[in-house]
Amino acid sequence: MPRIVIDMQDRRPVWAMPDWAVDAIRQALPEDWEMHVVETPADGSGDGATAVSRETLEAVSDATVYLGFGVPEDILRAGPRLRWVHSGAAGVSGSLTPEMRERDVIFTNSAGVHGAPVAETVLAMILYFARGLDFAVGMKARGRWCQKPFLEEDTPVAELAGRTVGIMGYGGIGTEVARRAAPLGARLLALKRRPVATPDEVVELLYGSDGLGRLLAESDYLVVAAPHTFDTENLLDQSAFAAMKRGAVLINVSRGSLVEEEALLQALRGGRLRGVALDVFRQEPLPEGHPFWSMPNVLILPHVSGVSRSFWRRETELIRENIRRFLAGQRLRNTVDKNLGY
C-alpha cells in the first residue's frame, strides 16, 4: 500500500499544520493510499538540516511520499522507497545534501507560497525609510519632538513614486514585491538568471553582470530576494556596495549568506547607504552586542517576514495539486533543480 508521511506539526503554533489541511490532503489521495501524520513536533526553522524524530524515521521506512519542513539526509536514508519529497520551506540549501543530489527522487519546495507576506513586509520596510519612520522611532525613544531630519533641504524623506525599486531575484517573492510597488508609482528593475521569452509588463528585466551593474547603480531601494546558491554566496561584497547608488536602502529577505557582512558594516559606517532592513542574517539569532543592534538606520526583524495565517491555504493548494500531478505522472510544481540549487 503506498504511503504518504506528513511531518509538518511545527513546534511553533503559527506554522503547525491545521486539522482542516490534513483532511484536505487526505481527500486528494486515492482510497488505497495510507497517510501517516507524525505527531512528534517538527522543527521548521531551517531549510532542512534539522534533527528528525524516531517516529518520522520509522514512518518513512516504506513510504512513497514525504512532506516536511526541509528534507534532512536521515529521511532519505531511512526511506529507500521515497519517490517524492516536499519541503514547506522555500529555501533548499539545507536539503541539498549529497544523498539528495545522488538519489533519483523528486524534490519540491514551497517557493512562492511565502511570497505575499514577505512582499508586504518588504513594502513596509521601503516605506519605513521612504517616509522617515526611522527618524520618528528614534525621536520617540529619546522622548524628543524633532522635525529637523524631515525639514532639511537634503532630507531623504520622499515619495515612492518615481523612485527605483530594484529586485535581485525575480521569483515568487520578487514578483509579489513588484505587484505591490508598481501601483505606488515606483520604477521597477529586476535581475533574473535567465532571459524569458516575453517581456514583463510590470518591470524592466535585467540579466548577467551588466544587469547587476545597472541594478546596483540605479536602485533607490535594493531588495534581495534571490536564493542562496554557489553563485549568490557573498554576491553583495565591498565592490557591490561601492557600485550602489549613494543614499540607497538595502533590504534582505532572502538569506544572510548573500551579503558580506563586514562590507555592509563599512558601507553603513561610511554613509554610503541611507538604511538597511534585514530579516535574515549569517548567524541566527543575531548575537547580543552585534553592531547592527546599535545602528539607528538598521531595521531588524527576527526572520519572520513570511509569517501569515494564510500560509496553510496556499501550501495545501500546492500539495493537493502536486498529488494530482504525481498520480498522473506529470511534472510537479516547484520542482527543485538540484544542480542549480533552487
Side-chain angles (χ1 to χ4, degrees), residues 37-61:
V37 180
V38 176
E39 296 182 0
T40 305
D43 182 1
S45 59
D47 288 346
T50 55
V52 184
S53 69
R54 178 176 296 180
E55 178 191 0
T56 304
L57 293 177
E58 292 176 354
V60 299
S61 62

Side-chain angles (χ1 to χ4, degrees), residues 140-163:
K140 181 176 182 293
R142 296 189 302 273
R144 292 181 55 200
W145 178 277
C146 180
Q147 296 180 332
K148 186 171 184 278
F150 294 87
L151 303 180
E152 292 178 323
E153 183 178 357
D154 61 347
T155 179
V157 178
E159 298 176 19
L160 187 55
R163 295 299 180 105

Side-chain angles (χ1 to χ4, degrees), residues 48 50-52 57 60 71-79 82 97 99:
T50 55
V52 184
L57 293 177
V60 299
V71 186
E73 201 162 30
D74 290 346
I75 290 292
L76 297 175
R77 290 173 177 168
L82 286 170
T97 59
E99 185 80 17

Side-chain angles (χ1 to χ4, degrees), residues 106-127:
I106 302 168
F107 177 29
T108 59
N109 70 346
S110 298
V113 175
H114 303 272
V118 175
E120 291 185 7
T121 300
V122 167
L123 190 60
M125 290 169 160
I126 290 174
L127 293 174

Side-chain angles (χ1 to χ4, degrees), residues 261-337:
E261 198 168 273
E262 187 56 39
L264 174 56
L265 286 168
Q266 290 179 16
L268 283 165
R269 289 167 176 155
R272 183 80 190 179
L273 300 178
R274 154 80 175 96
V276 175
L278 303 171
D279 183 51
V280 290
F281 304 86
R282 282 189 174 273
Q283 182 179 347
E284 296 183 5
L286 186 66
E288 292 183 15
H290 192 286
F292 285 151
W293 287 116
S294 60
M295 290 181 161
N297 58 343
V298 176
L299 177 62
I300 294 174
L301 271 69
H303 204 150
V304 292
S305 65
V307 172
S308 170
R309 295 184 182 276
S310 298
F311 166 79
W312 278 111
R313 175 178 55 80
R314 292 188 293 268
E315 180 71 5
T316 302
E317 290 173 357
L318 172 63
I319 292 171
R320 283 173 55 90
E321 171 61 15
N322 270 346
I323 287 175
R324 184 193 69 77
R325 294 186 181 207
F326 181 77
L327 296 173
Q330 299 172 348
R331 179 176 174 80
L332 273 57
R333 286 178 52 193
N334 284 19
T335 297
V336 175
D337 187 317

Side-chain angles (χ1 to χ4, degrees), residues 224-244:
V224 182
H228 173 212
T229 67
F230 178 80
D231 292 331
T232 60
E233 178 87 20
N234 289 323
L235 184 60
L236 291 177
D237 55 12
Q238 187 173 7
S239 62
F241 287 119
M244 284 183 67

